[in-house]
């Protein structure tokens, strides 16, 4: 057999084995729902909302928060605003004739980035439970109760949830989120999950820690640090939210690549945690290293060598292989792959992670970004 073919097959086996292993582990553990011992609990809650030029949607967001099924007398809203538009004016006016929730408005003169703004907001949050939510997300009425029920368990310090509906209707994103939800349930049952989601995360106040001012993955960083302090941080699929996303390949890149950079940088910064902290460092972190840092390069190499192998064996006919890859990508980004859509969604994530690694190697690590106004149209 041709050496290129052998190399391509070997790469394919090496790349897919850890995935098969994780699937087998999933089948064995059969994680379902949250591992927490959930109990009814109604603590006082600080809701932290960071805003940067959200004048277009902030009123919708506040309406949404007031619709939460929770006694508003027990809620404090901590907004940290770094806008140059009228966001804070709109918020102040909104609260003028409201008795509850109580508003704590932190006003920044200058945009320093999301992480330093959040550090201030977390320091100002005074209630027993602290919820963080992004402006461009919708929350269902039961989300605070579901989150509090998890935190009623003394062993649980933080909980995040599932994106149930991708506003804007992107099948690419919802396909990936479906797969991710299963992975995060498995991680939570083994020990703790890695990724915390910006649209909704809830923490016990006394577990909060400062985050790196340069962080591009603030929510996940907080969760990881809490785990390293001996806490447990889980994912509960009953805790839900909705966030907007595109399917179009080019439009997806900016946000996904930046998020990928934040996560990869975080894993590398905390590489000393590998192997420690029980199954978190022995299974959860290694799998995420594999998925986010190693697998994107291996997949790219498999593809390049696979194309070389196809052409070397079949000559011109071998061009059918890269052509098929292009058709797969084209159909995938227009949400037309039917049952195979999740495979495209994972490839799409791997593309972002590869691009993120390249950007990091090139030394790009700016802590601020353009808030995407096109995505926000899904909320008006
Ligand atoms: P993405 O969802 O990862 O693309 O991030 P977004 O651009 O949607 O930002 C997440 C949340 O952080 C939104 O509520 C933004 O308004 C807010 N945000 C982004 N940058 C800043 C910032 O520099 N300061 C503050 N206070 N909020 C910010
Ligand atoms: Mn967002």
């Amino acid at each position: 057999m041709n050496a290129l073919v052998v190399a391509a097959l070997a790469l394919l086996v090496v790349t897919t084995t850890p995935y098969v292993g994780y699937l087998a582990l999933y089948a064995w553990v059969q994680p379902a729902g949250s591992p927490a011992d959930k109990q009814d609990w109604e603590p006082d809650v600080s809701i932290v909302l960071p805003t940067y030029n959200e004048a277009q949607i902030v009123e919708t967001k506040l309406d949404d928060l007031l619709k939460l099924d929770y006694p508003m007398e027990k809620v404090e809203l901590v907004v940290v605003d770094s806008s140059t538009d009228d966001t804070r004016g709109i918020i102040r006016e909104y609260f003028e004739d409201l008795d509850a929730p109580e508003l704590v408005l932190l006003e920044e003169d200058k945009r320093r980035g999301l992480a330093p703004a959040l550090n201030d907001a977390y320091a100002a949050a005074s209630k027993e439970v602290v919820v963080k939510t992004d402006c461009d997300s919708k929350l269902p009425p039961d989300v605070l109760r579901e989150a509090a029920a998890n935190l009623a368990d003394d062993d649980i310090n933080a909980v995040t949830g599932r994106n149930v509906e991708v506003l804007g209707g992107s099948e690419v994103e919802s396909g990936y989120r479906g797969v991710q939800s299963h992975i995060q349930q498995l991680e939570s049952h083994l020990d703790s999950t890695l990724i915390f989601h910006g649209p909704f995360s809830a923490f016990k106040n006394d577990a909060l820690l400062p985050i790196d001012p340069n962080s591009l993955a603030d929510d996940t960083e907080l969760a990881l640090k809490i785990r390293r302090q001996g806490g447990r941080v889980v994912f509960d699929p009953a805790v839900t939210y909705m966030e907007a996303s595109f399917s179009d390949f080019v439009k997806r890149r900016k946000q996904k690549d930046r998020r990928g950079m934040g996560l990869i940088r975080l894993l590398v910064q905390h590489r000393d945690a590998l192997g420690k902290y029980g199954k978190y460092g022995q299974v959860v972190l290694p799998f995420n290293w594999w998925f986010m840092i190693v697998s994107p390069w291996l997949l790219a190499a498999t593809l390049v060598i696979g194309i070389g192998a196809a052409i070397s064996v079949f000559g011109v006919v071998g061009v059918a292989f890269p052509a098929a890859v292009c058709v797969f990508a084209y159909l995938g980004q227009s949400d037309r792959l039917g049952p195979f859509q999740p495979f495209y969604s994972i490839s799409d994530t791997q593309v972002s992670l590869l691009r993120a690694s390249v950007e990091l190697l090139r030394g790009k690590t700016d802590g601020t970004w353009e808030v995407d106004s096109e995505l926000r149209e899904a909320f008006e």
Side-chain angles (χ1 to χ4, degrees):
M1 224 188 332
N2 173 318
L4 271 176
V5 177
V6 175
L9 289 177
L11 269 171
L12 191 65
V13 171
V14 172
T15 312
T16 48
T17 302
Y19 289 105
V20 175
Y22 223 56
L23 264 178
L25 190 59
Y26 184 88
W28 186 51
V29 176
Q30 298 200 331
S34 168
D37 176 19
K38 289 172 78 173
Q39 308 278 340
D40 279 339
W41 189 35
E42 206 176 73
D44 287 358
V45 178
S46 300
I47 299 181
V48 166
L49 174 68
T51 52
Y52 179 74
N53 290 359
E54 300 285 16
Q56 200 185 348
I57 59 168
V58 71
E59 209 172 329
T60 312
K61 178 70 185 183
L62 296 175
D63 287 342
D64 198 46
L65 291 178
L66 284 176
K67 278 185 228 146
L68 290 173
D69 167 30
Y70 211 78
M72 283 297 146
E73 305 71 48
K74 292 194 162 186
V75 176
E76 156 192 85
L77 178 67
V78 182
V79 178
V80 56
D81 180 54
S82 323
S83 304
T84 52
D85 69 4
D86 194 32
T87 303
R88 65 187 69 166
I90 297 171
I91 296 173
R92 247 193 245 106
E93 199 172 311
Y94 193 98
F95 276 83
E96 232 153 52
D97 322 298
L98 267 185
D99 295 332
E102 186 189 328
L103 173 68
V104 178
L105 180 58
L106 309 177
E107 305 177 44
E108 285 204 307
D109 315 330
K110 212 175 137 269
R111 185 186 193 198
R112 292 174 297 160
L114 180 54
L118 280 174
N119 277 335
D120 289 355
Y122 289 138
S126 65
K127 309 299 188 194
E128 192 171 3
V129 164
V130 178
V131 161
K132 144 81 199 313
T133 184
D134 285 343
C135 206
D136 60 330
S137 62
K138 280 187 197 298
L139 303 177
D142 67 354
V143 71
L144 278 191
R145 288 193 188 282
E146 292 289 349
N150 278 277
L151 298 177
D153 183 333
D154 285 340
D155 297 333
I156 307 284
N157 301 82
V159 61
T160 191
R162 184 166 61 104
N163 192 0
V164 276
E165 189 191 328
V166 178
L167 300 165
S170 168
E171 301 268 339
V172 177
E173 192 59 25
S174 74
Y176 174 60
R177 294 310 180 98
V179 174
Q180 192 184 40
S181 160
H182 291 291
I183 293 176
Q184 293 205 269
Q185 281 174 72
L186 175 58
E187 294 175 344
S188 302
H189 280 261
L190 290 173
D191 182 309
S192 287
T193 193
L194 176 72
I195 295 182
F196 261 53
H197 301 284
F200 188 91
S201 299
F203 307 89
K204 282 185 179 151
N205 197 333
D206 57 15
L208 290 174
L209 295 155
I211 43 184
D212 178 352
N214 236 329
S215 183
L216 285 177
D218 48 276
D219 311 287
T220 300
E221 180 175 331
L222 194 46
L224 191 156
K225 285 183 165 168
I226 291 173
R227 175 62 191 89
R228 296 198 69 172
Q229 292 281 314
R232 186 169 183 197
V233 300
V234 299
F235 171 92
D236 181 0
V239 170
T240 60
Y241 59 82
M242 290 154 255
E243 192 190 18
S245 238
F246 298 121
S247 275
D248 180 81
F249 185 81
V250 176
K251 284 184 182 170
R252 288 178 66 70
R253 295 283 72 80
K254 249 203 204 151
Q255 184 185 60
K256 274 219 79 121
D257 295 4
R258 161 173 47 84
R259 289 180 173 182
M261 277 171 65
L263 292 170
I264 292 172
R265 204 173 56 181
L266 186 68
L267 282 178
V268 174
Q269 279 167 348
H270 288 269
R271 58 188 174 277
D272 62 307
L274 278 169
K276 300 178 195 156
Y277 311 106
K279 296 205 182 82
Y280 185 69
Q282 289 158 6
V283 183
V284 176
L285 290 179
F287 177 77
N288 281 282
W289 269 83
W290 174 265
F291 184 75
M292 290 193 230
I293 299 177
V294 183
S295 156
W297 294 95
L298 280 178
L299 270 179
T302 308
L303 198 61
V304 170
I305 295 179
I307 289 171
I311 292 173
S312 79
V313 174
F314 300 109
V316 182
V317 181
V319 175
F321 177 56
V325 172
C326 291
V327 170
F328 172 73
Y330 175 74
L331 292 177
Q333 68 154 357
S334 44
D335 296 335
R336 285 189 290 187
L337 281 175
F340 297 103
Q341 195 67 41
F343 288 99
Y344 175 73
S345 306
I346 292 172
S347 323
D348 172 90
T349 300
Q350 294 279 298
V351 169
S352 269
L353 290 163
L354 185 62
R355 287 172 48 115
S357 287
V358 172
E359 288 296 304
L360 284 170
L361 288 173
R362 290 172 56 199
K364 201 189 160 303
T365 51
D366 188 12
T368 56
W369 59 90
E370 258 181 78
V371 168
D372 196 320
S373 58
E374 204 183 331
L375 269 181
R376 274 147 178 80
E377 280 162 23
F379 293 88
E380 283 172 279

